[in-house]
């Protein structure tokens, strides 16, 4: 068989290097993206959202903890719910550092069902009566296109998960749990029976069990209970806030490994 001359050989090497560089750039760029995003139109690339959902993409300081991904907002019956997804890397940079372990700490070797997907949620009550948000409500969940349901994790479950994974106790665990008390929306509720009073807002992180890798679309379902007008025989009524997102397996697998900062 005739061997390729030097020119052809160098050309082949150059093409191979170019392919590797392009592939490397693609993987590198995927690392900076979020695996969970609002849906986009396949042709225009613009966000494609239902009419009742407003995109707050240009207002990262809308929350007390500034969002790093687009914020979706929906209003129903004078109740406003806003939500944004938080990447693992961004959570690590902010909370897995110094003398504290992130409340959402995880190891790369964990199985999917042991990891979390974390959202930041703000609920504002503009009604004349109180409203109630329950972390243990049966309809509070993520739901993907395969009819898989993923429930939320409350403080108790986060604490058990953290102690099980680290298998140690100490100042960094104590500090991480103290951070959780300050940033979880669950801990902003106060007394459950008091609800969210008229004119008030609560906000904080809401973690769920992580999506399966084959999830492509998902809805974040947040039920809110409306109190009846005082002096009436009416009962509490639940209304549902449903936020659509998409999930990318490719971006998920390209995310940086968990680390401390």
């Amino acid at each position: 068989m005739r061997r390729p001359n030097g020119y052809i050989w160098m050309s082949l090497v150059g093409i191979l290097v170019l392919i590797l560089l392009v592939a490397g750039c693609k993987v590198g760029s995927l690392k900076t993206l979020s695996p969970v995003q609002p849906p986009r139109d396949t042709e225009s690339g613009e966000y494609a959202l239902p009419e009742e959902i407003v995109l707050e993409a240009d207002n990262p300081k809308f929350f007390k903890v500034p969002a790093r991904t687009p914020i979706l907002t929906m209003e129903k019956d004078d109740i406003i719910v806003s939500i944004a997804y938080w990447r693992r890397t961004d959570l690590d940079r902010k909370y897995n550092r110094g003398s504290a372990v992130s409340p959402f700490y995880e190891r790369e070797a964990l199985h999917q069902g042991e990891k979390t997907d974390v959202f930041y949620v703000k609920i504002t009550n503009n009604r004349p009566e109180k409203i109630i948000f329950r972390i243990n409500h049966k309809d509070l969940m993520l739901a993907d296109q395969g009819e898989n349901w993923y429930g939320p994790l409350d403080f108790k479950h986060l604490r058990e998960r953290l102690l099980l994974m680290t298998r140690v106790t100490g100042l960094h665990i104590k500090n991480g749990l103290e951070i959780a008390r300050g940033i979880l929306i669950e801990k902003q509720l106060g007394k459950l029976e008091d609800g969210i009073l008229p004119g008030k807002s609560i906000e904080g992180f809401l973690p769920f069990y992580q999506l399966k890798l084959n999830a492509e679309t998902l809805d974040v379902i947040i039920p809110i209970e409306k109190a009846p007008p005082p002096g009436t025989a009416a009962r509490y009524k639940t209304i549902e806030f449903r936020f659509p997102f998409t999930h990318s397996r490719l971006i998920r697998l390209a995310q940086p490994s968990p680390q401390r900062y």
Side-chain angles (χ1 to χ4, degrees):
M1 183 175 66
R2 184 180 180 184
R3 299 178 63 183
N5 61 36
Y7 177 80
I8 296 177
W9 176 251
M10 291 301 295
S11 298
L12 291 173
V13 171
I15 292 173
L16 179 60
V17 170
L18 181 60
I19 292 174
L20 292 175
L21 286 173
V22 171
C25 289
K26 183 176 181 180
V27 173
S29 62
L30 290 179
K31 289 183 178 181
T32 66
L33 299 178
S34 171
V36 175
Q37 302 183 31
R40 293 179 181 270
D41 182 84
T42 54
E43 294 184 0
S44 67
E46 300 293 329
Y47 290 114
L49 297 166
E51 291 184 359
E52 66 269 21
I53 295 180
V54 176
L55 182 69
E56 301 280 356
D58 297 327
N59 190 8
K61 295 184 179 180
F62 181 81
F63 295 140
K64 291 179 182 177
V65 181
R68 295 179 177 272
T69 56
I71 302 169
L72 304 184
T73 294
M74 184 187 305
E75 181 174 1
K76 288 185 180 180
D77 295 354
D78 296 323
I79 302 169
I80 303 173
V81 179
S82 303
I83 187 170
Y85 180 80
W86 270 66
R87 296 172 61 229
R88 170 69 42 206
T89 300
D90 294 331
L91 289 168
D92 280 349
R93 284 198 186 104
K94 190 165 185 64
Y95 297 114
N96 201 34
R97 60 189 308 130
S99 60
V101 171
S102 168
F104 316 109
Y105 169 84
E106 66 181 39
R107 298 193 305 269
E108 192 170 12
L110 292 177
H111 298 295
Q112 167 263 329
E114 299 171 317
K115 298 180 180 181
T116 61
D117 273 315
V118 183
F119 293 82
Y120 193 94
V121 175
K122 180 177 182 179
I123 303 171
T124 301
N125 180 17
N126 290 326
R127 294 176 56 79
E129 295 84 30
K130 70 178 180 181
I131 60 175
I132 294 179
F133 167 73
R134 302 179 191 271
I135 191 71
N136 59 353
H137 195 288
K138 63 181 180 64
D139 293 328
L140 176 62
M141 69 180 77
L142 304 184
D144 68 22
Q145 83 287 348
E147 298 185 352
N148 297 303
W149 297 350
Y150 312 84
L153 287 86
D154 59 16
F155 178 81
K156 177 183 176 182
H157 287 104
L158 279 179
R159 181 179 182 276
E160 292 174 351
R161 176 179 173 274
L162 192 59
L163 293 176
L164 180 64
M165 280 193 300
T166 57
R167 299 184 183 277
V168 294
T169 58
L171 181 62
H172 59 301
I173 300 296
K174 179 181 178 181
N175 289 343
L177 293 173
E178 191 60 32
I179 288 173
R181 291 185 179 93
I183 64 176
L184 293 177
I185 192 170
E186 169 197 1
K187 290 300 183 180
Q188 316 310 313
L189 293 173
K191 295 181 179 179
L192 185 62
E193 62 271 17
D194 288 345
I196 305 172
L197 300 178
K200 300 296 183 179
S201 298
I202 63 167
E203 61 181 278
F205 287 96
L206 178 60
F208 293 87
Y209 289 100
Q210 189 181 93
L211 296 160
K212 293 183 177 180
L213 282 178
N214 62 0
E216 297 175 357
T217 62
L218 66 135
D219 289 327
V220 183
I221 303 170
I222 300 178
I224 304 291
E225 298 174 59
K226 301 186 301 182
T232 67
R235 298 182 178 182
Y236 278 82
K237 181 180 180 182
T238 300
I239 58 175
E240 179 183 279
F241 291 79
R242 184 180 290 257
F243 294 92
F245 287 88
T246 59
H247 173 255
S248 170
R249 177 191 183 107
L250 190 62
I251 296 176
R252 172 83 71 180
L253 293 176
Q255 293 296 290
S257 301
Q259 59 179 300
R260 290 186 61 78
Y261 289 87

